[in-house]
Amino acid sequence: FCAYIGASIMKHNRSIKDELLERQVELMKADKDKMDFFRFVTHEIKSPVNTAQSAVETALELSGGSMSPTVEDMLSRAVRRLEQATGIVKDLADLTRGGLMKEENLQVVDLSRLVKRLVANQSDVADRSGQVFELNLPDAPVVMTTNLSVVDKIITNLVGNAVRYNKDGGLVKVSLEDTISGIRLAVSDQGIGISSEDQTRVFEEFFRSAAAQKKTTLGTGLGLAIVRKFVDDLKGTIGLESQVGIGTTFTVELPRKTKNSKR
C-alpha cells in the first residue's frame, strides 16, 4: 500500500513537472513571438513616420508664416504626434535589441561619470519646473564591466521619469553605491507616486496609469519595460517603493561584471 501511494505521488509530481516545463516552453515561445512582432513593427513603421515628420516640418519651415493660424496649429500638432510616434519606434527598437551582452560589446564603464552626464542632460527639462537634483556619489569612481548603451538607457529612463512625474519645485535624488555584492543605483522623486494597484503593472509594455496620463501626455509606456528588460539582461534586480502624492524610488542592483551571452 505504501509503495502504491509513493508511486502515485511520484507519478503526480512528474505530471506537474512536465506540465510546468511545457508551460515554460509555451511562455518562452510567446515571448519570442512578441519580440519578433515588435521588431517587424519597428522596421515597418520607422521609415514612413520619419518621412511624414520631415515633410510636415519642411512645410512649416517653407511657409514662412504665410499659413493661416488654424492650419499652422494643425501641422504643429501633427509634428508633436509624429515625434511621439518616433519615440515609440525608438523604444521598441531598444526593447527588441539583441546580442548586447556579447563579449565584444562589453567595456569598463565609469558609472559615477555616466550618472553625472545623464543627470546634466535632464537639467534643462528640470529647470523649467524648478526641480532640483541631489547627487549622492562615492568619492572613488564606481566602475563595472558592462554594455555602456544598456546602462545608459536604464539611467536615462529612470531619471527622465523622475523629472517627468515630479512635482514643480520637487527634488530628484540620484544615489550610487559600491556594495559588497555589486552596484546599487537609486532614483527618487517627490512626484505623483504610483498606487499599489498600478505598481504591479508599471513594467508592462505600453502601460501608463491614469495619474501618469493626467500629469503629461508625453511618454510611450515603454520606458520601464525597457529598464526591466535591460536589468534582467545584466542579471540584476529592480525594486520599487512609492506612495501616491509623496513620490517614488526605483532601486537597481547590478553585478560589477556582466556575464557575456552568445545570443
Side-chain angles (χ1 to χ4, degrees), residues 14 107 119 122 173:
R14 278 197 300 269
Q107 65 185 91
V119 166
Q122 297 286 339
K173 186 185 295 186

Side-chain angles (χ1 to χ4, degrees), residues 6-263:
S8 297
I9 292 173
M10 289 179 65
K11 182 179 179 182
H12 181 64
N13 286 343
R14 278 197 300 269
S15 174
I16 292 174
K17 181 182 177 182
D18 291 344
E19 186 179 342
L20 288 174
L21 286 173
E22 184 180 346
R23 181 61 178 155
Q24 183 182 18
V25 170
E26 290 175 358
L27 289 172
M28 290 174 66
K29 183 180 183 302
D31 190 58
K32 181 182 180 301
D33 289 344
K34 180 177 67 177
M35 289 298 108
D36 289 343
F37 172 72
F38 282 168
R39 288 190 187 98
F40 172 76
V41 170
T42 302
H43 180 267
E44 293 299 310
I45 289 180
K46 184 177 180 180
S47 180
V49 167
N50 288 341
T51 301
Q53 184 175 343
S54 297
V56 177
E57 288 175 340
T58 302
L60 280 169
E61 187 177 343
L62 293 177
S63 70
S66 60
M67 289 182 182
S68 72
T70 303
V71 173
E72 187 170 350
D73 178 63
M74 288 176 62
L75 290 178
S76 297
R77 278 187 287 162
V79 168
R80 290 194 293 271
R81 288 297 185 184
L82 287 165
E83 286 174 347
Q84 196 171 22
T86 301
I88 293 174
V89 170
K90 288 179 180 177
D91 284 348
L92 280 173
D94 287 334
L95 193 63
T96 58
R97 196 182 303 172
L100 294 171
M101 302 307 146
K102 291 181 179 178
E103 188 68 38
E104 61 267 26
N105 294 326
L106 306 182
Q107 65 185 91
V108 176
V109 177
D110 184 340
L111 286 183
S112 303
R113 181 179 297 178
L114 181 63
V115 166
K116 288 179 182 176
R117 177 171 64 81
L118 296 179
V119 166
N121 290 347
Q122 297 286 339
S123 294
D124 288 345
V125 180
D127 287 345
R128 292 173 199 159
S129 54
Q131 296 182 48
V132 217
F133 283 108
E134 178 184 313
L135 289 181
N136 296 315
L137 307 176
D139 294 331
V142 178
V143 297
M144 65 183 294
T145 302
T146 188
N147 182 294
L148 174 60
S149 173
V150 166
V151 178
D152 184 309
K153 287 290 182 183
I154 291 172
I155 299 171
T156 297
N157 275 305
L158 291 179
V159 175
N161 274 3
V163 171
R164 180 176 295 163
Y165 300 112
N166 205 4
K167 67 179 182 180
D168 290 353
L171 177 71
V172 176
K173 186 185 295 186
V174 183
S175 304
L176 193 62
E177 185 181 355
D178 206 339
T179 68
I180 295 174
S181 58
I183 291 156
R184 180 181 295 120
L185 169 74
V187 180
S188 304
D189 64 60
Q190 298 176 328
I192 61 176
I194 305 169
S195 70
S196 55
E197 295 83 5
D198 290 337
Q199 286 181 35
T200 61
R201 300 192 59 197
V202 290
F203 294 107
E204 294 178 8
E205 294 95 347
F206 300 109
F207 176 76
R208 296 190 73 220
S209 67
Q213 294 180 53
K214 184 177 179 181
K215 173 71 175 175
T216 175
T217 57
L218 297 175
T220 62
L222 287 170
L224 289 177
I226 291 168
V227 169
R228 184 181 63 176
K229 178 185 182 299
F230 283 170
V231 169
D232 288 346
D233 287 346
L234 296 176
K235 309 303 180 188
T237 61
I238 183 167
L240 161 65
E241 292 182 8
S242 186
Q243 286 183 272
V244 175
I246 302 296
T248 302
T249 299
F250 285 95
T251 303
V252 175
E253 299 201 26
L254 300 170
R256 283 189 188 79
K257 178 169 174 54
T258 297
K259 294 180 181 178
N260 65 80
S261 167
K262 294 182 180 180
R263 286 186 302 163

